[in-house]
Amino acid sequence: MKQKLLYFLILFAIVTGALFQPNQAEAQTRNVYWDGILMVPGQAGKIKVLKPINLWKRTSSGLVFERVLKVGEQYRVYRYDELYGGQYGLGGNMYITKIAGYVEYKTPSKAKLQELALAQGTPSTGPGNSTSLFPTEPTPNLTGGKVLSQSVTQIAPGIRKKYFDIDGEIGKQNLFVIDYDGKTANIELKTELAKDQLIGLETTSSQANGVKQDDSYHVVAGVNADYFDSQGQPIDLMMMEGSIVSTPQTSINELAVLGIKADGKAVIGAPQVSMNVSVNGQQSYAINSVNRKRLANQLVVYTRDFAATTNTNGLGTEVRVKVESGKLNGKEILTGTVIENVTGVGNAILNRNEIILSGHNFASQFLQTIQVGDKIEINTSFTPAEWNDVREAVSGRYHLVKNGTLQTIQVAGVAPRTAVGIRSDGSIFTAVIDGRTSNSKGLTLQNTAKLMKDLGANYAMTFDGGGSSTVVTRELGNDKVTVVNKPSDGYERSVSNTLLFISKYKTSTLNTIAPTSNVLEVFQGAAYTDLSVPVKGIDQYMNPVAVSGIGKVTSAALTSSGGKQVVSASPGTYDGVVTYDGKSTTIKLVVTNSLDSIVASDSYLQVQKGQAIQLSAKGMKNGQAVLTEAAAFNWTATGGTVQANGKYTAQNKDGIGTITIKYGSKSITIPVIVGEVAPTILESFNKGILNYEATGDRVKSVSVQEVVNDRDGTKALKLVYDFTGTSGTSGAYVKAKTNLTISTPPKKIGMWVKGDGKGNWLRAQLVDATGKVIQLDLDKNVNWTDWKFVEASVPTGLTYPLKMDLPIRYMQTENTNKSNGEIIIDDIQAIYKD
């Protein structure tokens, strides 16, 4: 008894040790407990056992019973999915089935999650910021349409990528949203400039991937930003890393700017900028702009962010200043020392850590008073004053929502759109709506405003739209961003600047995995030896971790049979699990029965009576054989029997039959000839000749008549023609109004013909199922005047069924042999043996 008790205690210690095993995250400065259980990052909740319930372990073969949990036991819960009727994941592939009255599940409060976040130095994992890679969210209610489907992916702590398929008022819409909760630590928004200067253009993805990154600095998403001129310069205010890159040009009543403050908070408004320069603490002169074209009487500050040179003419003065401290923003004073003063030259070279003061006329006269060695100070201030705290800024054009109020925009036109919004809780999101395609129409600016308000914006504005509208994200497991929408130009357009989402969480160890695609298509009835998908490694912050391998897929939609996984579920979408190196994640299995075509191992069969033959089939999709399991197809037969595995057994008598292979909406029929099959009469004319008409080329006259033949006393068709007086190849044809059909491949086509001895050429014309035209030469010299049976071999490799559209083509190619006459046709037939 003691030995059994000791064994039980050891087993209990092993299992619970796996469930509560400490990890790197638990090695914290301050532990956080919740109802007596130590909390760890990634924990979604906890569960308490109310009645004895089984503990299960998930394996590649299904659930394996571990033990019965006792009343009062508590466990951390890391995940929940719908497999096996719904189960809570406890870690280590251990699961408890959700059964009402047997377990009590709770989630931690926001305060408790914040306490854990502070203790760990990691972001909160509360509602709206789940550590699940594919969290679920409520479907938004839209005034301009209905959300048909949506998907959410956590791409970094506090940042989610969302996709919405919308049935809108004017048609389909595809919406892509990047959503930052505005509070998670180590996340920042920054602006980026094409080719690292104002003059020039570069794609959004290239700008994002061109940012210098390391294991603690990751670009995870971005969108195109400001409108731009013909040189690629953004139109209005831009700030990077706490310094003005360009001052605005648009009138204040039309200006729209997004600003990111030093504390990460966002603001949308129309700031005014005031700047002046003083020399040696005395003279002060107003600065007109930063990095803009120098106009008459203006004083402009140029930095290396503009271009390689100032691009100015020689009608002015340019003072070079070595920057010693400060930046061009509302919180700092830029100070420096004059190291050069040049008049009448222009186009000064721009260097890093220097500025050029460039003036024309009155401004030039002021600059000429400055000496090398003088001390320069530049003061900058914004109105409203809150913009003095802004460190990153990028502009757009139209205000969509102001202080929760929808704005009225009198601009017509439906197009792709890019917009940015700020919610009352401080969260920031961008929205890209594709347009100009059948899959996504695009929106008017007014409807874009409604959409942004529906998505929660308290303030919102547009960025550049149309072909510029682009959103890029770092897909799970990747180290670079890629374009996720479909720009309307058909390719990614180069733009002036971008707004980027940055994660500053240092890459850690492997925490979980992600399939290369979170949707796997499988085919109903298919049997897979080892259903698997490539996987990518991810740390706890959604940063990529290098792994090499594939993950095994399990699902309730699959059953084990003969060492294989058989798709036993009906068409639909099912939950699945991908497992690799002890790590698991979810995947959606889409069970389908949709194929492009079915290809059979034999196009037709000719077998002996009672003969058995094994057939196979392949289901084709996108040029690939995706289904080869015979039992997945539905097999039916006439003229014999066929088993579910494709084995056909012919009947014990001569005849013609078929084997039909079906899967979903696709089917293919194989003709079968059993034993010695007599010819099939395709047309006897005993019902008359109403189905036939006469046509011709280069003929004086042609007609068809119904006659009683003198061969067997039945009805026949007479073709009467007159080729006299014509030149070139003449032809008299019998055309079938409803084509004769040949479903079973014959060896030959034959018919009885009473000739007229005129030496003409007798042919028949067929068309196969692909549209291929086949000419059969029955006789090249009709030199007989009595009845004669003629036949022609049918080529192999045709696609059935065949259609006989011209049963008779009676032709003469030589002008010297042109004549008139008549022939009689009877019993056109398909012949199945040599």
Side-chain angles (χ1 to χ4, degrees), residues 12 41 212 228 245 264 312 334 387 390 400 456 469 500 521-522 529 579 583 631 764 822:
F12 178 80
K212 185 178 180 180
F228 49 89
V245 173
T312 52
L334 184 147
W387 283 82
V390 168
L400 304 175
S469 287
L500 304 180
E521 184 180 61
V522 293
T529 302
T579 304
K583 307 293 184 181
E822 61 185 34

Side-chain angles (χ1 to χ4, degrees), residues 606-804:
Q606 189 161 10
V607 298
Q608 300 300 316
K609 290 179 288 187
Q611 181 181 350
I613 187 169
Q614 181 65 54
L615 301 174
S616 63
K618 293 186 293 187
M620 307 299 294
K621 193 162 190 178
N622 298 325
Q624 301 292 322
V626 296
L627 190 65
T628 58
E629 191 73 14
F633 298 93
N634 177 258
W635 300 78
T636 57
T638 62
T641 60
V642 64
Q643 299 177 18
N645 65 357
K647 186 175 183 179
Y648 172 76
T649 303
Q651 63 188 14
N652 287 313
K653 60 180 181 179
D654 297 330
I656 294 175
T658 60
I659 300 170
T660 300
I661 309 169
K662 186 175 182 180
Y663 185 85
S665 63
K666 299 295 182 182
S667 65
I668 186 173
T669 298
I670 302 171
V672 180
I673 301 170
V674 180
E676 299 292 328
V677 177
T680 297
I681 302 298
L682 303 174
E683 180 59 84
S684 67
F685 302 108
N686 288 337
K687 294 183 179 180
I689 63 168
L690 291 178
N691 187 45
Y692 300 95
E693 62 185 359
T695 64
D697 288 323
R698 297 182 178 89
V699 296
K700 184 178 292 185
S701 64
V702 62
S703 63
V704 292
Q705 301 174 16
E706 181 181 308
V707 297
V708 175
N709 70 60
D710 55 1
R711 182 177 65 88
D712 59 6
T714 61
K715 291 181 180 180
L717 180 145
K718 179 192 287 186
L719 174 64
V720 182
Y721 66 93
D722 185 353
F723 294 157
T724 61
T726 65
S727 61
T729 299
S730 296
Y733 313 133
V734 176
K735 178 178 175 58
K737 298 175 184 177
T738 300
N739 295 332
L740 305 180
T741 300
I742 305 170
S743 299
T744 303
K747 297 285 186 179
K748 300 176 181 179
I749 296 295
M751 63 186 71
W752 284 98
V753 178
K754 186 173 184 179
D756 59 3
K758 299 298 178 70
N760 294 323
W761 185 6
L762 182 62
R763 310 182 89 186
Q765 179 173 294
L766 309 172
V767 180
D768 81 350
T770 67
K772 181 179 180 181
V773 177
I774 305 101
Q775 302 291 346
L776 302 181
D777 290 329
L778 296 165
D779 202 295
K780 291 188 176 182
N781 182 14
V782 179
N783 56 7
W784 68 91
T785 57
D786 204 349
W787 285 99
K788 180 179 179 180
F789 188 77
V790 294
E791 59 187 19
S793 296
V794 178
T796 59
L798 303 179
T799 303
Y800 285 79
L802 305 181
K803 301 292 185 181
M804 183 178 282

Side-chain angles (χ1 to χ4, degrees), residues 200 497 556 592 623 643 745:
N497 56 17
T592 181
Q643 299 177 18

Side-chain angles (χ1 to χ4, degrees), residues 6 51 95 103 125 199 356 401 431 576 607 618 706 731 736 750 775 817:
L6 179 61
K51 294 181 181 180
Y95 287 83
V103 292
T125 56
I199 295 179
I356 295 290
V401 182
V607 298
K618 293 186 293 187
E706 181 181 308
Q775 302 291 346
N817 293 337

Side-chain angles (χ1 to χ4, degrees), residues 14 42 51 91 151 183 287 352 440 458 506 540 563 633 647:
I14 292 173
K51 294 181 181 180
S151 63
K183 59 187 177 183
I287 295 172
R352 296 295 177 191
S440 187
N458 193 44
K506 185 173 182 178
Q540 61 181 317
F633 298 93
K647 186 175 183 179

Side-chain angles (χ1 to χ4, degrees), residues 17-28 31 38-43 76 78 90-92 116 120 508-511 540 583:
L19 297 179
F20 294 105
Q21 56 185 335
N23 54 35
Q24 185 178 3
E26 292 184 9
Q28 52 191 358
N31 291 335
L38 178 67
M39 291 187 69
V40 298
Q43 180 178 349
R76 301 188 196 101
Y78 297 93
L90 312 183
L116 176 65
Q120 296 288 337
S508 183
T509 57
L510 181 66
N511 179 66
Q540 61 181 317
K583 307 293 184 181

Side-chain angles (χ1 to χ4, degrees), residues 51-56 65-69 95-97 99:
K51 294 181 181 180
I53 191 170
N54 291 344
L55 174 67
W56 301 95
F65 171 75
E66 288 290 328
R67 68 181 181 89
V68 176
L69 302 181
Y95 287 83
I96 297 176
T97 304
I99 304 177

